[in-house]
Amino acid sequence: MEIKKINEQENTLEIKNLVIHYISDEEVVKAVNGVNIIIKAGKTLGLVGETGAGKTTTALSILNLVPEPQGKILSGEVLLEGRSVLSMSEHELEVMRGDKVAMIFQDPMTSLNPVHTVGHQIAESIEIHRKVSKHQALKQAKEMLELVGIPSERSNEYPYQFSGGMKQRVDIAIALACSPDLLIADEPTTALDVTIQAQVLKLINELRQTYHMSMLMITHDLGIVAEVCDEVSIAYAGRIIEHGTLEDIFDHMRHPYTKGLFGALPDIGVRRSELMPIKGLMPDPTNLPSGCPFHPRCDYVMEVCPQSLPENKWLSETHCVECHLYKDTNESML
Amino acid sequence: MSNVLLEVKDLKKYYKVPKGMLHAVDGVSFNLEKGETLGIVGESGCGKTTIGRAILRLVEPTSGSVIFDGVDILKLNKQEMRHMRRNMQLIFQDPFSSLNPRKTITQTIEEPIILANMIPDPDKRFMRVMELMDTVGLAERLVNTYPHELDGGRRQRIGIARALAMNPKFIICDEPVSALDVSIQAQILNLMKKIQREMGLTYIFITHNLAVVSHFSDDIVVMYLGRLIEKAPSETLFANPLHPYTQALLSAIPVPRIHNRPERLLLRGEITSPINPEPICRFANRCNYAMPICSKEEPGLIEAEPNHFVACHLVGRGNGCSFS
Ligand SMILES: Nc1ncnc2c1ncn2[C@@H]1O[C@H](COP(=O)(O)OP(=O)(O)OP(=O)(O)O)[C@@H](O)[C@H]1O
Ligand SMILES: Nc1ncnc2c1ncn2[C@@H]1O[C@H](COP(=O)(O)OP(=O)(O)OP(=O)(O)O)[C@@H](O)[C@H]1O
Ligand code: SF4
Ligand SMILES: [Mg+2]
Ligand SMILES: [Mg+2]
């Protein structure tokens, strides 16, 4: 999918035609198959899709951290504030990570240092990135701990004294403390309880505004998207099959898969209503369907669908879709 | 009253841990009628799984009683319990770790049938397995596959087929769809509803996902740190939650719509420790409405309106509810 060129300067992140495969002796996993993403300065993009859709792989490319040697970036560009990440030197990457881009990892790699207290580790990050005094930094670190749902008296404890979920929250606090230009949050709240999740999302929203942060929010939860995102890209089998503003996607969703996702959600407080699941399973990335990757599950499948990959079509200034049902206007055959 | 299938009375499960006594489940009571579904919700560690396992006596309750179909099952001996358990099955959260990786689908599903010596004839038993696979929507060609060859949705279908193998009356579903993608989750939820309708099953449905529980349940129990803090018919609970924790829980769910978004009621702080809890309201340290009495006395469960029970000092102090 091609995204229209706006003023390049306004974009914090631009990913163009990215293709990433995991190649081993036995198989080729086609994880990312031509992804285009734009995140405008100060905006939050939600990247939504089910397991295996290629969300994490796409995100890792922004930090040039796609796992080697299997992970191969076969083509495409990743531009961070106009500069190509994929051609940065190791030194430039070091500087960029943490300062310009911070990532909350889906599986926290427990980047925490076992010999320092958690409060110390958050404060250190605040001191470096927000340029405040040590004293101020410690105070802010305690506030951050409270905000991620950990009593501030526990700031003097060491990582081994924390549960997995608490360590993840410390990871979140450290990433936020960097006040990066771009925050990549890969399913940051899935392990948290909803009341704690609500606290963390509020914290993320506040910091985003205060520090004019751009954000890539990876999630499969459309509720979280509605809460924090400005725009949404829906990923399926390593492609962005629909993209638009919140209104475009929530009120005028067009792709049969996007419609299916919404239909499959139980409504809160509504009982006995039959859900409308999408039939079938996510495709096998080592053996993707021909043509439109959604065609084996699609209720609207037509003769052309297995034959050719639908092109990206713009339905409005902000809304585009990859599906043979749509033409380059607002009209559709649905 | 004759329609009650399960009666849980003052059920407790304490664990001895180095720092003291961990009150995993602390005096929980409820009834469940035949063919109905009871949802149990609450945050991680509040005791949902422990309740389920204690009802089935997969862990021995510390005290209380569990009356199933008129029988106090905590009084049964091992053999009687084994017999009783045919009627009561469990579906696990993690469809992967709950299946034996060295057994094929067929072997997994027929195992309980063999153990109970229900269908001695191998051909007839195989027919039964095929019938069960058909019920849960597993294709015949999968008979000889192993769990690792299957996706999460199909693995959960095996778990369901295995639970159905003994023709149970009652199934406890412990987070049966939490590990699944939404599109697969919806397939499994629809399947579980269909089976319930066709076989007249009674369910306890444990989850932390309130959308799922509201879709599924007749009554809902909300737990907090081992205590039952609110219980009501599903519609009532969502329309008129009385406990401040239930209110916060409901308002914390991210709703997938962009108009008419509900106001957020945010909490602060951590869940307190379940070890040696003091006899006070266990939610007091996070509660936006806490009063002095909340840190002095534990609120009892009262019926605030018909069939709507709540344990909170704000409710039922003479003048009913002090908030709506
Ligand atoms: N290091 C790796 N080696 C081989 N295959 C990989 C590797 N990492 C990911 N994959 C595969 O690439 C595909 C895309 O994975 P990715 O982690 O990007 O998906 P995702 O959208 O983040 O999924 P999830 O929602 O489960 O996190 C999957 O099929 C996955 O199994
Ligand atoms: N065998 C055990 N020994 C000691 N403590 C235990 C044991 N099993 C559970 N607990 C404790 O009992 C409490 C309740 O645990 P339980 O697994 O029932 O919670 P849960 O509500 O199912 O949580 P989750 O949503 O995370 O599954 C927790 O504090 C847990 O740490
Ligand atoms: S292109 Fe065809 S198969 Fe693909 S989503 Fe559109 S209608 Fe369905
Ligand atoms: Mg991922
Ligand atoms: Mg549990």
Side-chain angles (χ1 to χ4, degrees), chain A residues 50-51 149 169 193 195 197 202 227 251 269 271-273 275 278 280, chain B residues 43-44 181 183 187 190 214-215 217-218 259 261 264 266 270 286:
Chain A
E50 297 185 276
T51 287
R169 281 181 266 165
D193 285 319
T195 58
Q197 169 177 286
K202 176 162 174 273
E227 178 111 13
D251 292 347
R271 198 156 62 95
R272 298 267 174 258
S273 57
L275 300 174
I278 306 172
Chain B
E43 285 177 317
S44 179
D181 274 330
S183 69
Q187 295 173 0
N190 278 353
S214 71
H215 169 75
S217 309
D218 298 287
H259 307 291
R261 292 185 59 77
R264 271 284 161 86
L266 283 178
E270 260 286 88
R286 296 174 82 195

PDB file of all heavy atoms in Angstrom, chain A residues 50-51 149 169 193 195 197 202 227 251 269 271-273 275 278 280, chain B residues 43-44 181 183 187 190 214-215 217-218 259 261 264 266 270 286:
ATOM      1  N   GLU A  50      -3.836  -9.701  14.125  1.00  0.00           N
ATOM      2  CA  GLU A  50      -3.797 -10.890  14.966  1.00  0.00           C
ATOM      3  C   GLU A  50      -2.395 -11.500  14.968  1.00  0.00           C
ATOM      4  O   GLU A  50      -1.504 -11.064  14.239  1.00  0.00           O
ATOM      5  CB  GLU A  50      -4.852 -11.881  14.481  1.00  0.00           C
ATOM      6  CG  GLU A  50      -6.258 -11.286  14.636  1.00  0.00           C
ATOM      7  CD  GLU A  50      -7.354 -12.264  14.281  1.00  0.00           C
ATOM      8  OE1 GLU A  50      -7.684 -12.384  13.095  1.00  0.00           O
ATOM      9  OE2 GLU A  50      -7.861 -12.908  15.188  1.00  0.00           O
ATOM     10  N   THR A  51      -2.228 -12.510  15.802  1.00  0.00           N
ATOM     11  CA  THR A  51      -0.940 -13.191  15.927  1.00  0.00           C
ATOM     12  C   THR A  51      -0.323 -13.526  14.581  1.00  0.00           C
ATOM     13  O   THR A  51      -0.992 -14.063  13.706  1.00  0.00           O
ATOM     14  CB  THR A  51      -1.144 -14.500  16.724  1.00  0.00           C
ATOM     15  OG1 THR A  51      -1.355 -14.123  18.071  1.00  0.00           O
ATOM     16  CG2 THR A  51       0.056 -15.393  16.663  1.00  0.00           C
ATOM     17  N   GLY A 149       1.291   1.800  38.897  1.00  0.00           N
ATOM     18  CA  GLY A 149       0.607   0.937  39.849  1.00  0.00           C
ATOM     19  C   GLY A 149       1.511   0.224  40.832  1.00  0.00           C
ATOM     20  O   GLY A 149       1.180  -0.832  41.342  1.00  0.00           O
ATOM     21  N   ARG A 169       6.057  -3.349  34.178  1.00  0.00           N
ATOM     22  CA  ARG A 169       5.645  -1.968  34.435  1.00  0.00           C
ATOM     23  C   ARG A 169       6.852  -1.065  34.661  1.00  0.00           C
ATOM     24  O   ARG A 169       6.832   0.104  34.298  1.00  0.00           O
ATOM     25  CB  ARG A 169       4.679  -1.924  35.613  1.00  0.00           C
ATOM     26  CG  ARG A 169       3.293  -2.336  35.192  1.00  0.00           C
ATOM     27  CD  ARG A 169       2.327  -2.285  36.332  1.00  0.00           C
ATOM     28  NE  ARG A 169       2.194  -3.583  36.984  1.00  0.00           N
ATOM     29  CZ  ARG A 169       1.636  -3.761  38.164  1.00  0.00           C
ATOM     30  NH1 ARG A 169       1.185  -2.728  38.828  1.00  0.00           N
ATOM     31  NH2 ARG A 169       1.537  -4.966  38.671  1.00  0.00           N
ATOM     32  N   ASP A 193      -3.665  -6.043  34.552  1.00  0.00           N
ATOM     33  CA  ASP A 193      -5.093  -6.027  34.843  1.00  0.00           C
ATOM     34  C   ASP A 193      -5.711  -4.741  34.321  1.00  0.00           C
ATOM     35  O   ASP A 193      -5.038  -3.714  34.256  1.00  0.00           O
ATOM     36  CB  ASP A 193      -5.303  -6.113  36.359  1.00  0.00           C
ATOM     37  CG  ASP A 193      -5.051  -7.520  36.852  1.00  0.00           C
ATOM     38  OD1 ASP A 193      -5.476  -8.454  36.170  1.00  0.00           O
ATOM     39  OD2 ASP A 193      -4.408  -7.667  37.895  1.00  0.00           O
ATOM     40  N   THR A 195      -7.664  -2.425  35.467  1.00  0.00           N
ATOM     41  CA  THR A 195      -7.626  -1.166  36.217  1.00  0.00           C
ATOM     42  C   THR A 195      -6.212  -0.581  36.198  1.00  0.00           C
ATOM     43  O   THR A 195      -6.043   0.627  36.119  1.00  0.00           O
ATOM     44  CB  THR A 195      -8.110  -1.342  37.673  1.00  0.00           C
ATOM     45  OG1 THR A 195      -7.303  -2.319  38.323  1.00  0.00           O
ATOM     46  CG2 THR A 195      -9.552  -1.780  37.729  1.00  0.00           C
ATOM     47  N   GLN A 197      -4.065  -1.265  33.726  1.00  0.00           N
ATOM     48  CA  GLN A 197      -3.912  -0.884  32.326  1.00  0.00           C
ATOM     49  C   GLN A 197      -4.441   0.522  32.090  1.00  0.00           C
ATOM     50  O   GLN A 197      -3.816   1.328  31.389  1.00  0.00           O
ATOM     51  CB  GLN A 197      -4.665  -1.879  31.446  1.00  0.00           C
ATOM     52  CG  GLN A 197      -4.804  -1.438  30.010  1.00  0.00           C
ATOM     53  CD  GLN A 197      -5.485  -2.488  29.154  1.00  0.00           C
ATOM     54  OE1 GLN A 197      -4.910  -3.500  28.817  1.00  0.00           O
ATOM     55  NE2 GLN A 197      -6.725  -2.234  28.792  1.00  0.00           N
ATOM     56  N   LYS A 202      -3.345   6.081  30.677  1.00  0.00           N
ATOM     57  CA  LYS A 202      -3.505   7.499  30.984  1.00  0.00           C
ATOM     58  C   LYS A 202      -2.124   8.158  31.076  1.00  0.00           C
ATOM     59  O   LYS A 202      -1.891   9.233  30.525  1.00  0.00           O
ATOM     60  CB  LYS A 202      -4.257   7.666  32.298  1.00  0.00           C
ATOM     61  CG  LYS A 202      -4.404   9.105  32.755  1.00  0.00           C
ATOM     62  CD  LYS A 202      -5.505   9.234  33.806  1.00  0.00           C
ATOM     63  CE  LYS A 202      -5.565  10.630  34.375  1.00  0.00           C
ATOM     64  NZ  LYS A 202      -4.659  10.817  35.523  1.00  0.00           N
ATOM     65  N   GLU A 227      -8.881   4.400  22.443  1.00  0.00           N
ATOM     66  CA  GLU A 227      -8.485   5.207  23.588  1.00  0.00           C
ATOM     67  C   GLU A 227      -7.271   6.102  23.303  1.00  0.00           C
ATOM     68  O   GLU A 227      -7.223   7.236  23.739  1.00  0.00           O
ATOM     69  CB  GLU A 227      -8.137   4.250  24.725  1.00  0.00           C
ATOM     70  CG  GLU A 227      -7.668   4.911  25.978  1.00  0.00           C
ATOM     71  CD  GLU A 227      -8.679   4.753  27.079  1.00  0.00           C
ATOM     72  OE1 GLU A 227      -9.602   3.933  26.931  1.00  0.00           O
ATOM     73  OE2 GLU A 227      -8.528   5.452  28.079  1.00  0.00           O
ATOM     74  N   ASP A 251     -15.971   3.966  12.073  1.00  0.00           N
ATOM     75  CA  ASP A 251     -17.306   4.280  11.562  1.00  0.00           C
ATOM     76  C   ASP A 251     -17.503   3.879  10.102  1.00  0.00           C
ATOM     77  O   ASP A 251     -18.622   3.702   9.656  1.00  0.00           O
ATOM     78  CB  ASP A 251     -17.593   5.785  11.702  1.00  0.00           C
ATOM     79  CG  ASP A 251     -17.715   6.209  13.160  1.00  0.00           C
ATOM     80  OD1 ASP A 251     -17.814   5.305  14.012  1.00  0.00           O
ATOM     81  OD2 ASP A 251     -17.707   7.415  13.440  1.00  0.00           O
ATOM     82  N   GLY A 269     -21.700  -5.798  28.210  1.00  0.00           N
ATOM     83  CA  GLY A 269     -23.025  -5.627  28.783  1.00  0.00           C
ATOM     84  C   GLY A 269     -24.147  -6.209  27.933  1.00  0.00           C
ATOM     85  O   GLY A 269     -25.303  -6.156  28.307  1.00  0.00           O
ATOM     86  N   ARG A 271     -25.859  -9.488  26.325  1.00  0.00           N
ATOM     87  CA  ARG A 271     -25.834 -10.920  26.522  1.00  0.00           C
ATOM     88  C   ARG A 271     -26.591 -11.620  25.410  1.00  0.00           C
ATOM     89  O   ARG A 271     -27.451 -11.046  24.775  1.00  0.00           O
ATOM     90  CB  ARG A 271     -26.482 -11.253  27.865  1.00  0.00           C
ATOM     91  CG  ARG A 271     -26.159 -12.619  28.377  1.00  0.00           C
ATOM     92  CD  ARG A 271     -26.304 -12.647  29.859  1.00  0.00           C
ATOM     93  NE  ARG A 271     -27.673 -12.366  30.249  1.00  0.00           N
ATOM     94  CZ  ARG A 271     -28.562 -13.313  30.492  1.00  0.00           C
ATOM     95  NH1 ARG A 271     -28.230 -14.560  30.395  1.00  0.00           N
ATOM     96  NH2 ARG A 271     -29.776 -13.005  30.849  1.00  0.00           N
ATOM     97  N   ARG A 272     -26.229 -12.875  25.199  1.00  0.00           N
ATOM     98  CA  ARG A 272     -26.991 -13.766  24.329  1.00  0.00           C
ATOM     99  C   ARG A 272     -26.938 -13.381  22.856  1.00  0.00           C
ATOM    100  O   ARG A 272     -27.603 -13.961  22.037  1.00  0.00           O
ATOM    101  CB  ARG A 272     -28.464 -13.818  24.760  1.00  0.00           C
ATOM    102  CG  ARG A 272     -28.636 -14.375  26.158  1.00  0.00           C
ATOM    103  CD  ARG A 272     -28.888 -15.868  26.116  1.00  0.00           C
ATOM    104  NE  ARG A 272     -28.907 -16.433  27.455  1.00  0.00           N
ATOM    105  CZ  ARG A 272     -27.888 -17.107  27.961  1.00  0.00           C
ATOM    106  NH1 ARG A 272     -26.788 -17.302  27.280  1.00  0.00           N
ATOM    107  NH2 ARG A 272     -27.974 -17.614  29.179  1.00  0.00           N
ATOM    108  N   SER A 273     -26.188 -12.357  22.520  1.00  0.00           N
ATOM    109  CA  SER A 273     -26.062 -12.053  21.107  1.00  0.00           C
ATOM    110  C   SER A 273     -25.033 -13.007  20.514  1.00  0.00           C
ATOM    111  O   SER A 273     -24.012 -13.272  21.124  1.00  0.00           O
ATOM    112  CB  SER A 273     -25.606 -10.608  20.916  1.00  0.00           C
ATOM    113  OG  SER A 273     -24.392 -10.403  21.600  1.00  0.00           O
ATOM    114  N   LEU A 275     -22.021 -14.035  18.347  1.00  0.00           N
ATOM    115  CA  LEU A 275     -20.886 -13.325  17.761  1.00  0.00           C
ATOM    116  C   LEU A 275     -20.779 -13.723  16.296  1.00  0.00           C
ATOM    117  O   LEU A 275     -21.243 -14.768  15.890  1.00  0.00           O
ATOM    118  CB  LEU A 275     -19.604 -13.699  18.488  1.00  0.00           C
ATOM    119  CG  LEU A 275     -19.563 -13.379  19.976  1.00  0.00           C
ATOM    120  CD1 LEU A 275     -18.298 -13.938  20.591  1.00  0.00           C
ATOM    121  CD2 LEU A 275     -19.637 -11.886  20.189  1.00  0.00           C
ATOM    122  N   ILE A 278     -14.919 -14.495  12.202  1.00  0.00           N
ATOM    123  CA  ILE A 278     -14.392 -14.662  10.856  1.00  0.00           C
ATOM    124  C   ILE A 278     -14.121 -16.151  10.714  1.00  0.00           C
ATOM    125  O   ILE A 278     -13.545 -16.764  11.608  1.00  0.00           O
ATOM    126  CB  ILE A 278     -13.072 -13.888  10.701  1.00  0.00           C
ATOM    127  CG1 ILE A 278     -13.273 -12.428  11.093  1.00  0.00           C
ATOM    128  CG2 ILE A 278     -12.547 -14.016   9.287  1.00  0.00           C
ATOM    129  CD1 ILE A 278     -11.975 -11.635  11.152  1.00  0.00           C
ATOM    130  N   GLY A 280     -12.412 -19.675   9.456  1.00  0.00           N
ATOM    131  CA  GLY A 280     -11.043 -20.067   9.116  1.00  0.00           C
ATOM    132  C   GLY A 280      -9.995 -19.475  10.029  1.00  0.00           C
ATOM    133  O   GLY A 280     -10.289 -18.919  11.080  1.00  0.00           O
TER     134      GLY A 280
ATOM    135  N   GLU B  43      -9.332  -9.336  39.213  1.00  0.00           N
ATOM    136  CA  GLU B  43      -7.968  -9.154  38.765  1.00  0.00           C
ATOM    137  C   GLU B  43      -7.105 -10.384  39.021  1.00  0.00           C
ATOM    138  O   GLU B  43      -7.475 -11.275  39.778  1.00  0.00           O
ATOM    139  CB  GLU B  43      -7.366  -7.908  39.441  1.00  0.00           C
ATOM    140  CG  GLU B  43      -7.936  -6.658  38.809  1.00  0.00           C
ATOM    141  CD  GLU B  43      -7.461  -5.367  39.452  1.00  0.00           C
ATOM    142  OE1 GLU B  43      -7.410  -5.295  40.684  1.00  0.00           O
ATOM    143  OE2 GLU B  43      -7.167  -4.440  38.706  1.00  0.00           O
ATOM    144  N   SER B  44      -5.942 -10.362  38.390  1.00  0.00           N
ATOM    145  CA  SER B  44      -5.018 -11.474  38.524  1.00  0.00           C
ATOM    146  C   SER B  44      -4.715 -11.732  40.000  1.00  0.00           C
ATOM    147  O   SER B  44      -4.431 -10.816  40.747  1.00  0.00           O
ATOM    148  CB  SER B  44      -3.736 -11.121  37.775  1.00  0.00           C
ATOM    149  OG  SER B  44      -2.827 -12.153  37.908  1.00  0.00           O
ATOM    150  N   ASP B 181      -6.714 -15.299  19.539  1.00  0.00           N
ATOM    151  CA  ASP B 181      -7.018 -14.086  18.784  1.00  0.00           C
ATOM    152  C   ASP B 181      -8.521 -13.853  18.714  1.00  0.00           C
ATOM    153  O   ASP B 181      -9.296 -14.805  18.748  1.00  0.00           O
ATOM    154  CB  ASP B 181      -6.504 -14.252  17.351  1.00  0.00           C
ATOM    155  CG  ASP B 181      -5.056 -13.849  17.239  1.00  0.00           C
ATOM    156  OD1 ASP B 181      -4.639 -12.967  17.998  1.00  0.00           O
ATOM    157  OD2 ASP B 181      -4.354 -14.415  16.400  1.00  0.00           O
ATOM    158  N   SER B 183     -10.652 -13.279  16.357  1.00  0.00           N
ATOM    159  CA  SER B 183     -11.487 -13.978  15.378  1.00  0.00           C
ATOM    160  C   SER B 183     -11.663 -15.437  15.791  1.00  0.00           C
ATOM    161  O   SER B 183     -12.737 -16.016  15.614  1.00  0.00           O
ATOM    162  CB  SER B 183     -10.919 -13.853  13.958  1.00  0.00           C
ATOM    163  OG  SER B 183      -9.728 -14.564  13.805  1.00  0.00           O
ATOM    164  N   GLN B 187     -15.104 -17.758  17.468  1.00  0.00           N
ATOM    165  CA  GLN B 187     -15.498 -19.101  17.020  1.00  0.00           C
ATOM    166  C   GLN B 187     -15.696 -20.025  18.219  1.00  0.00           C
ATOM    167  O   GLN B 187     -16.669 -20.778  18.291  1.00  0.00           O
ATOM    168  CB  GLN B 187     -14.415 -19.707  16.105  1.00  0.00           C
ATOM    169  CG  GLN B 187     -14.210 -18.963  14.792  1.00  0.00           C
ATOM    170  CD  GLN B 187     -13.012 -19.505  13.995  1.00  0.00           C
ATOM    171  OE1 GLN B 187     -12.336 -20.431  14.419  1.00  0.00           O
ATOM    172  NE2 GLN B 187     -12.757 -18.917  12.839  1.00  0.00           N
ATOM    173  N   ASN B 190     -18.829 -19.056  20.409  1.00  0.00           N
ATOM    174  CA  ASN B 190     -20.069 -19.518  19.780  1.00  0.00           C
ATOM    175  C   ASN B 190     -20.240 -21.025  19.948  1.00  0.00           C
ATOM    176  O   ASN B 190     -21.334 -21.508  20.225  1.00  0.00           O
ATOM    177  CB  ASN B 190     -20.078 -19.158  18.290  1.00  0.00           C
ATOM    178  CG  ASN B 190     -20.510 -17.722  18.055  1.00  0.00           C
ATOM    179  OD1 ASN B 190     -20.920 -17.025  18.984  1.00  0.00           O
ATOM    180  ND2 ASN B 190     -20.410 -17.272  16.818  1.00  0.00           N
ATOM    181  N   SER B 214     -19.794 -10.841  30.048  1.00  0.00           N
ATOM    182  CA  SER B 214     -21.131 -10.273  29.945  1.00  0.00           C
ATOM    183  C   SER B 214     -21.888 -10.924  28.800  1.00  0.00           C
ATOM    184  O   SER B 214     -23.095 -11.107  28.849  1.00  0.00           O
ATOM    185  CB  SER B 214     -21.060  -8.765  29.723  1.00  0.00           C
ATOM    186  OG  SER B 214     -20.588  -8.469  28.427  1.00  0.00           O
ATOM    187  N   HIS B 215     -21.160 -11.290  27.779  1.00  0.00           N
ATOM    188  CA  HIS B 215     -21.770 -11.944  26.628  1.00  0.00           C
ATOM    189  C   HIS B 215     -22.298 -13.318  27.019  1.00  0.00           C
ATOM    190  O   HIS B 215     -23.266 -13.803  26.468  1.00  0.00           O
ATOM    191  CB  HIS B 215     -20.702 -12.057  25.543  1.00  0.00           C
ATOM    192  CG  HIS B 215     -21.072 -12.925  24.393  1.00  0.00           C
ATOM    193  ND1 HIS B 215     -21.958 -12.527  23.433  1.00  0.00           N
ATOM    194  CD2 HIS B 215     -20.693 -14.179  24.058  1.00  0.00           C
ATOM    195  CE1 HIS B 215     -22.094 -13.500  22.542  1.00  0.00           C
ATOM    196  NE2 HIS B 215     -21.350 -14.512  22.908  1.00  0.00           N
ATOM    197  N   SER B 217     -22.735 -14.765  30.468  1.00  0.00           N
ATOM    198  CA  SER B 217     -23.217 -15.191  31.783  1.00  0.00           C
ATOM    199  C   SER B 217     -24.622 -14.729  32.118  1.00  0.00           C
ATOM    200  O   SER B 217     -25.057 -13.660  31.706  1.00  0.00           O
ATOM    201  CB  SER B 217     -22.269 -14.668  32.861  1.00  0.00           C
ATOM    202  OG  SER B 217     -20.959 -14.996  32.536  1.00  0.00           O
ATOM    203  N   ASP B 218     -25.301 -15.536  32.921  1.00  0.00           N
ATOM    204  CA  ASP B 218     -26.569 -15.121  33.510  1.00  0.00           C
ATOM    205  C   ASP B 218     -26.287 -14.267  34.737  1.00  0.00           C
ATOM    206  O   ASP B 218     -26.784 -13.169  34.872  1.00  0.00           O
ATOM    207  CB  ASP B 218     -27.386 -16.352  33.896  1.00  0.00           C
ATOM    208  CG  ASP B 218     -27.709 -17.193  32.682  1.00  0.00           C
ATOM    209  OD1 ASP B 218     -28.563 -16.763  31.900  1.00  0.00           O
ATOM    210  OD2 ASP B 218     -27.068 -18.242  32.488  1.00  0.00           O
ATOM    211  N   HIS B 259     -17.393   6.954  19.789  1.00  0.00           N
ATOM    212  CA  HIS B 259     -18.388   7.917  20.253  1.00  0.00           C
ATOM    213  C   HIS B 259     -18.948   7.452  21.590  1.00  0.00           C
ATOM    214  O   HIS B 259     -18.872   6.283  21.922  1.00  0.00           O
ATOM    215  CB  HIS B 259     -19.519   8.044  19.232  1.00  0.00           C
ATOM    216  CG  HIS B 259     -19.010   8.339  17.853  1.00  0.00           C
ATOM    217  ND1 HIS B 259     -18.439   9.536  17.513  1.00  0.00           N
ATOM    218  CD2 HIS B 259     -18.931   7.555  16.751  1.00  0.00           C
ATOM    219  CE1 HIS B 259     -18.059   9.487  16.248  1.00  0.00           C
ATOM    220  NE2 HIS B 259     -18.330   8.299  15.765  1.00  0.00           N
ATOM    221  N   ARG B 261     -17.937   7.657  24.579  1.00  0.00           N
ATOM    222  CA  ARG B 261     -17.009   6.884  25.411  1.00  0.00           C
ATOM    223  C   ARG B 261     -17.278   7.183  26.887  1.00  0.00           C
ATOM    224  O   ARG B 261     -17.504   8.316  27.261  1.00  0.00           O
ATOM    225  CB  ARG B 261     -15.570   7.226  25.048  1.00  0.00           C
ATOM    226  CG  ARG B 261     -15.208   6.724  23.653  1.00  0.00           C
ATOM    227  CD  ARG B 261     -13.750   6.949  23.347  1.00  0.00           C
ATOM    228  NE  ARG B 261     -12.884   6.280  24.310  1.00  0.00           N
ATOM    229  CZ  ARG B 261     -12.627   4.983  24.304  1.00  0.00           C
ATOM    230  NH1 ARG B 261     -13.170   4.220  23.396  1.00  0.00           N
ATOM    231  NH2 ARG B 261     -11.831   4.469  25.202  1.00  0.00           N
ATOM    232  N   ARG B 264     -13.780   7.762  32.601  1.00  0.00           N
ATOM    233  CA  ARG B 264     -12.914   6.846  33.320  1.00  0.00           C
ATOM    234  C   ARG B 264     -12.918   7.131  34.808  1.00  0.00           C
ATOM    235  O   ARG B 264     -12.868   8.270  35.240  1.00  0.00           O
ATOM    236  CB  ARG B 264     -11.466   7.021  32.812  1.00  0.00           C
ATOM    237  CG  ARG B 264     -11.138   6.155  31.638  1.00  0.00           C
ATOM    238  CD  ARG B 264     -10.940   4.756  32.112  1.00  0.00           C
ATOM    239  NE  ARG B 264     -11.055   3.771  31.052  1.00  0.00           N
ATOM    240  CZ  ARG B 264     -10.051   3.408  30.274  1.00  0.00           C
ATOM    241  NH1 ARG B 264      -8.882   3.968  30.417  1.00  0.00           N
ATOM    242  NH2 ARG B 264     -10.228   2.482  29.364  1.00  0.00           N
ATOM    243  N   LEU B 266     -10.511   6.295  37.569  1.00  0.00           N
ATOM    244  CA  LEU B 266      -9.198   5.676  37.754  1.00  0.00           C
ATOM    245  C   LEU B 266      -8.933   5.362  39.212  1.00  0.00           C
ATOM    246  O   LEU B 266      -9.322   6.096  40.110  1.00  0.00           O
ATOM    247  CB  LEU B 266      -8.106   6.593  37.208  1.00  0.00           C
ATOM    248  CG  LEU B 266      -7.973   6.603  35.688  1.00  0.00           C
ATOM    249  CD1 LEU B 266      -6.897   7.569  35.262  1.00  0.00           C
ATOM    250  CD2 LEU B 266      -7.694   5.213  35.146  1.00  0.00           C
ATOM    251  N   GLU B 270      -1.507  -0.257  44.289  1.00  0.00           N
ATOM    252  CA  GLU B 270      -1.389  -1.687  44.035  1.00  0.00           C
ATOM    253  C   GLU B 270      -2.455  -2.459  44.785  1.00  0.00           C
ATOM    254  O   GLU B 270      -2.980  -1.993  45.798  1.00  0.00           O
ATOM    255  CB  GLU B 270      -0.042  -2.168  44.597  1.00  0.00           C
ATOM    256  CG  GLU B 270       1.050  -2.325  43.600  1.00  0.00           C
ATOM    257  CD  GLU B 270       0.877  -3.545  42.726  1.00  0.00           C
ATOM    258  OE1 GLU B 270       0.212  -3.430  41.689  1.00  0.00           O
ATOM    259  OE2 GLU B 270       1.393  -4.615  43.064  1.00  0.00           O
ATOM    260  N   ARG B 286      -7.251   1.370  47.794  1.00  0.00           N
ATOM    261  CA  ARG B 286      -7.365   1.870  46.420  1.00  0.00           C
ATOM    262  C   ARG B 286      -8.693   2.579  46.197  1.00  0.00           C
ATOM    263  O   ARG B 286      -8.961   3.083  45.107  1.00  0.00           O
ATOM    264  CB  ARG B 286      -7.270   0.722  45.410  1.00  0.00           C
ATOM    265  CG  ARG B 286      -5.952  -0.002  45.403  1.00  0.00           C
ATOM    266  CD  ARG B 286      -6.029  -1.211  44.475  1.00  0.00           C
ATOM    267  NE  ARG B 286      -5.823  -0.846  43.074  1.00  0.00           N
ATOM    268  CZ  ARG B 286      -6.123  -1.643  42.049  1.00  0.00           C
ATOM    269  NH1 ARG B 286      -6.649  -2.817  42.261  1.00  0.00           N
ATOM    270  NH2 ARG B 286      -5.894  -1.260  40.814  1.00  0.00           N
TER     271      ARG B 286
END
